[in-house]
Amino acid sequence: MNRGGTMKPIGRVSVLSTGSVRIRPQHVESTGSPMLWWLLTSRRWTDARPINVYLIEHERGVVLFDTGQDRHSVTDPGYFPRGVVGWLYSRLARFSIAADETLTARLRALGHAPEDVHTVVLSHLHQDHIGGLPQLPDARIIVSGREWARLDRRFAEVDGLLERHIRLPGLHWEPVTPAPVDDPSIAPFTESHDLFGDGSLVLLPTPGHTPGSLSLLLRQEGMPPMLFVGDLTYDVERLVAERVPGVGGRGGLLASTRQVLALRERLPDLVILAAHDPAAAGLLRRALDRNGAR
């Protein structure tokens, strides 16, 4: 959103999905039990949920929020770690990704090539958000500096960070740290990072699922405001009810959830779009139709 309301740098906003994932019910909504307990004992899986990637056509080029899951994760037996850690990954999620569900294929279906992607914003560094990175060697890749630092911690793989699929040769990484701002329009958030300096795409820290998780606020006259939230929630109904996921720190998830809900009070038309919400595509379509922005 241009502050003067005269320029409109954003064109089309789309959602695409790089396959689907089934996870544990306790993953979607915490029951209060520790993650390791339900990961080891749960026998149930959810219905298939999408692996959403959001595409924003900006005047600087295509912006992606997250990059989905790599199809090699279902075709290459060596994609995941071996041993106990690999077994834990197999307990956490089951993926289904067809040949036409790669990021490149989905981009081409929307009329774009991978080289059209100017900027990637990663909500965090878990596997189902970084999977398209090998297809995007020309893009600048934005990640929270706090999230990036987690790669150097011991047992990063146990925390869901597969370094060999993240620190790939030739990628253009740009760790950022949201800075303190005095901007009532994004209250109660007090830190942000303006992606292009035009106010249209603003990063907000929403720690909880991971300590460095980021959300992306889209604002432009004539379009509904949108907030892309990664894995802060798995569907908007749970977010509104403050029923948080079972992966991450409960205190952080609740605090970030309440900040998002307070922002929505300030922006009543705010569309909240999550990475694995089956309703996300419909929410986006209806919001754009209401505003005549399609």
Side-chain angles (χ1 to χ4, degrees):
M1 178 179 69
N2 175 267
R3 296 293 181 173
T6 57
M7 296 177 60
K8 294 185 177 181
I10 294 173
R12 182 171 55 165
V13 180
S14 307
V15 59
L16 54 94
S17 182
T18 60
S20 62
V21 62
R22 298 173 65 202
I23 52 181
R24 303 294 182 178
Q26 299 93 329
H27 194 149
V28 175
E29 182 177 334
S30 174
T31 59
S33 60
M35 176 181 170
L36 185 59
W37 173 255
W38 59 254
L39 187 61
L40 294 176
T41 61
S42 180
R43 297 185 178 182
R44 294 188 297 139
W45 296 95
T46 65
D47 292 337
R49 306 180 75 91
I51 308 168
N52 290 328
V53 175
Y54 295 95
L55 184 150
I56 302 160
E57 294 178 354
H58 190 275
E59 63 184 8
R60 299 277 191 93
V62 170
V63 177
L64 297 182
F65 185 79
D66 287 331
T67 68
Q69 181 77 9
D70 191 340
R71 188 165 187 264
H72 287 99
S73 65
V74 299
T75 61
D76 179 0
Y79 186 87
F80 290 105
R82 298 187 181 277
V84 173
V85 175
W87 179 77
L88 290 173
Y89 274 84
S90 72
R91 294 280 304 169
L92 187 67
R94 291 180 174 176
F95 296 98
S96 177
I97 307 167
D100 63 351
E101 292 179 322
T102 64
L103 180 62
T104 293
R106 292 304 200 192
L107 286 172
R108 294 196 186 283
L110 291 173
H112 292 291
E115 52 266 30
D116 297 335
V117 178
H118 180 280
T119 299
V120 172
V121 174
L122 295 175
S123 61
H124 60 292
L125 292 175
H126 285 163
Q127 55 166 318
D128 51 332
H129 300 260
I130 58 89
L133 291 180
Q135 302 164 59
L136 300 168
D138 300 321
R140 69 166 182 156
I141 303 165
I142 307 295
V143 66
S144 159
R146 187 175 183 185
E147 188 80 358
W148 185 253
R150 295 176 67 230
L151 284 172
D152 296 321
R153 296 179 58 186
R154 292 185 65 191
F155 309 118
E157 283 193 341
V158 178
D159 287 337
L161 305 182
L162 298 176
E163 183 177 9
R164 67 185 181 278
H165 300 309
I166 297 171
R167 281 184 166 141
L168 300 174
L171 294 185
H172 308 291
W173 288 97
E174 195 174 311
V176 302
T177 300
V181 292
D182 183 14
D183 184 354
S185 71
I186 61 170
F189 290 94
T190 58
E191 297 178 334
S192 70
H193 178 83
D194 191 329
L195 201 58
F196 293 119
D198 60 11
S200 65
L201 294 172
V202 178
L203 298 175
L204 302 174
T206 49
H209 182 69
T210 68
S213 288
L214 291 173
S215 293
L216 178 65
L217 176 64
L218 180 155
R219 305 175 296 176
Q220 177 169 279
E221 183 180 353
M223 296 184 75
M226 304 176 196
L227 187 68
F228 308 95
V229 299
D231 287 354
L232 177 62
T233 188
Y234 288 88
D235 61 66
V236 175
E237 290 184 1
R238 286 184 170 88
L239 182 88
V240 171
E242 297 185 7
R243 289 150 46 196
V244 300
V247 176
R250 182 175 177 82
L253 285 163
L254 275 172
S256 292
T257 293
R258 288 166 180 165
Q259 282 189 301
V260 167
L261 294 175
L263 180 66
R264 195 173 75 154
E265 289 185 12
R266 180 175 292 276
L267 303 171
D269 295 331
L270 184 68
V271 184
I272 299 170
L273 300 163
H276 304 294
D277 187 350
L283 290 172
L284 177 60
R285 181 177 62 254
R286 289 190 294 273
L288 293 175
D289 285 345
R290 283 196 303 270
N291 284 264
R294 289 179 64 83

